[in-house]
Amino acid sequence: METKQIANKKVTFYHYNTVIVGSGAAGMNCAVHLYEFMQRKGIENPQDRIVVVTAGLGLGASRMSGSDKQTYYKMGTSPDVADSAEEFAKSLTAAGCCHGDTALVEAIGSLREFYHLVQAGVAFPTDTSGTFIGYKTDHDPYERATSAGPKTSKFMSESLQKQLERYGVKTIDNQEAAHLLTTGSGDNRRIVGVVTVDKKSCAINVYLAENIVLAAGGPGELYKTTVYPKDQLGIHGLAFKAGLIGANLTESQFGLASIKFRWNVSGTYMQAVPRIFSTDADGKDEKEFLTGFFPSMSKMATNIFLKGYQWPFDPQRIENLQSSLIDVLVFNETQKGRRVYMDFLHNPVGNQAMDEFNIDDLEPEAKEYLQKAGALQKTPIERLAHMNTPAIEIYTENGIDLYSEPLEIAVCAQHNNGGFAVDKWWQSNIRHTFVIGEMAGTHGVKRPGGSALNAGQTGGLRVADYIVNAYGCELPDYSDKKADIEKQLSQLIDRLNSYKSSSGLVAEDVLEEVRSRMTASGGHIREPIDAQKAIRQAVELYKNIQQKGFNAKDNSALITAIQAEHMALTSIAYLKAVVELLKQGSGSRGSHLVLAQDGIEIHPDVIDKAKNKPLKFKPENQSLRNSVLQVEYDESSPDLFKCQTIPLRPAPTDRKAFEPAWKDYREGKIYS
Ligand SMILES: Cc1cc2nc3c(=O)[nH]c(=O)nc-3n(C[C@H](O)[C@H](O)[C@H](O)COP(=O)(O)OP(=O)(O)OC[C@H]3O[C@@H](n4cnc5c(N)ncnc54)[C@H](O)[C@@H]3O)c2cc1C
C-alpha cells in the first residue's frame, strides 16, 4: 500500500495479482478458486495476492433476491435418468444466440461447481440415499433444477464468504467503483486497475492488478419497474468506457414479481393458484380483470398455475390462451393506472359464465401436480403453506403477511441474459480482464431457470484456472505506466470536484429519467420509432451530464452522481442494441414483444397505450438465432456506440485420447 497526493487529493494505491469487483455468488466463488489454484501451485501467501472490492457485501442479486425456491440448474443427479454435458449444452443454446463453446463449458463445469458449493456449506437437500433431489423447470426432462430454498443465492455467497475468511482473503466493503484505469490501445489495451470511492469517507482507492475480474452483477437500477434489489447498479458504463464489448444486451428477462418487497412470484406462489385481481390507484374498485379473456375457470386457473414454472414473460406463450397472456393482462391493467394483486386467501373468482373454482376441473398437468404434491387444500394460502412454508415466511420477514393482505405485483425486469462478450475462459476482448456472473453475456435469447447461478460459478472457476495457470500469480509492475495512470486519476478527481456546481444536474433526477425511459422503451414491450426517440433522448441526457456535471453537495450525493453518469451511458448501450436489433427485423423473442401494425392481435381489449389501438405484435424472426449482436463504445459515433453482428461459435467436438490430452494438460497447452 502507498499513498500519493494527486490533484490535491490523497489517493491510496494497493497492488494485487487479481482484483475482483463484486461480492455476489460469482465474485466470491472466483476468489475462493483463485486461492485454491494458487495454493495447489505452491504459491506463498495466496491471500495477499487476491482482493474482492465491493459496493456492498450485503447488496446485489445474490444476497438480496430470490423466489419461492430459488433455482440452481445443474446436470441431472437423478439415480435413474441419465444426463450428459452435450444434452445440457443443447438446453442452453436451444433458443439461439448462445455460443456453443461457453454453453458446453457451463455444462461440463456444472457438477464440479455444484459439489464445490456443497463443500462450502450450501444445504442443497438430499434423500436418504444421498441423492441431490431435482425438479423440472421449463423444457427440462432431466430434473436438473434444485434449490436450497427461497434464498439459494444468498446461502451461496455467504458460504463462499466464510470460505474466503477461512483462507484470509480480504473483501473491502463500501467501495463504489468509479473508473477502470486503462493503458495502451488495440491489442495492447489493458485495464490495469480499479478506482473506487469509499462510500462513507469519499476517500479514493486504487487497486492495481495484473488481472481484473468484473463480477458486479446486472444493471438492475436501469429500470423503473424492476425486481432487482435496490442499489444493484452494476458497472456496465465503466466497462463500456474502458473498451469492453457488450453482447446480447437486448435479451433481458421480465416477469411477475411483488413490488412492495421485491421478490419473484414464481413456482409455488402461482402453483397454489391464488386469485388475481385489480383495484384503482387508491386500492378501491376491485375487479376480476382476467375473466373476460378466458373461456372457462379451468383455463384461467390452469394458466395461473402454469405461470409457476413458465415464469419469464414469453411472447411465444401468448397466443391460444397460454400462460404468458397473464403477464400481458397484468401489464395491460397497470397501463390503465390500476394496481394488480395476488390474493392467497381466495381461490380465483370467475364471471357469470364460469364455473366456481374446483381443483378437479384444472387441466391434467396442473391437477396431477397438485394431487402429487398433496396440495388439495381449500384455499391458496393453505396449499402454499403445505407445499412451501419458507415461501410465506420470506414475506413475513419483510413485513408482508400473506395470511391477511394481498400482494401487489407487476411485470418487472429481473435478469439480463446478455452482458459482456467473453471467450471460453470468460476472458473479455481485453486480455487479462475477465467478466463473470450476470455481467457476462453467456446466455442466449432464453435460458433454463436456474442456469444463471450455474453460469456464475463455472465462469469463476474457468477464470481462476486461467489466471493462475496461464498468466501466473505475480503482482504487477506498472512503473512505466505511472504517468498514464496519474493523468487518469487527476482527470477523475477534477471531474468529481466539478460535481459540486450549483448549475449541475441532480443525480437522482437523472437516474429517474434513465429508469423511466428504459422501462417504457427498452423493457418487455418495444417499438422501432419509440426506441429511436428513446436513444436520441438518452444521448442528449448523457451529453448534458458531460456539459453541466452534477450538483452533488455531500458524500452520498457524490456517489449517486458517479452512478447516474455511468447508468446514463449504460442506457445508451442497451437502447442502441434494441434499435439495431429492431432494424434487423428481429420480432418478438426471449422475453420481449415487438409491436407492429400488421402483427398479431392479442385481444381487442388489450390496448397499445401509445396508439390507443389493440396491441399487435410481430413474431420472432428466427433467422437471427445464429448470430450475436455486439455493442461497443465509440465516441465518434452519433449514438456513442457502434454495433456488429457475429456468428455463433460452435461447441468443440474434438475428443482426444487420454494420453495426448494428459500431455497437453501437463504442458499447459489447454490454455492456448
Ligand atoms: C428476484 C430474482 C430472482 C432470481 N432467481 C434466480 C433463480 O432462481 N435462479 C438463477 O439462476 N438466477 C436467479 N436470479 C438471477 C441471479 O440471482 C443473479 O443473476 C446472480 O445472483 C448474480 O450474481 P452475481 O454475483 O453476478 O451478481 P450480484 O449477486 O448481483 O452481485 C453484484 C456485486 O457487485 C457489487 N456492485 C454492484 N455495483 C457495483 C459498483 N458500482 N461498484 C462496486 N461494486 C458493485 C454489489 O455490491 C454485489 O456485491 C434471480 C434474480 C432476481 C433479481
Side-chain angles (χ1 to χ4, degrees), residues 22-23 26 54-56 61-62 70-71 176-177 216 234-235 264 414 437-438 450 453:
S23 58
T54 182
S62 307
Q70 196 186 16
T71 301
E176 185 70 32
I235 52 168
N264 272 14
Q414 184 250 4
E438 192 171 334
L453 292 176

Side-chain angles (χ1 to χ4, degrees), residues 133 271 313 402 579:
I133 310 146
Q271 286 159 337
F313 168 60
L402 296 185
V579 167

Side-chain angles (χ1 to χ4, degrees), residues 21-27 54-56 59-62 65-67 70-71 153 175-177 215-217 227-228 232-235 264 414-415 437-438 447 450-453 566:
V21 185
S23 58
T54 182
L59 299 180
S62 307
S65 299
S67 57
Q70 196 186 16
T71 301
S153 57
Q175 301 302 306
E176 185 70 32
V227 62
Y228 280 93
Q232 170 49 35
L233 290 111
I235 52 168
N264 272 14
Q414 184 250 4
H415 180 267
E438 192 171 334
R447 63 171 181 86
S451 57
L453 292 176
H566 68 75

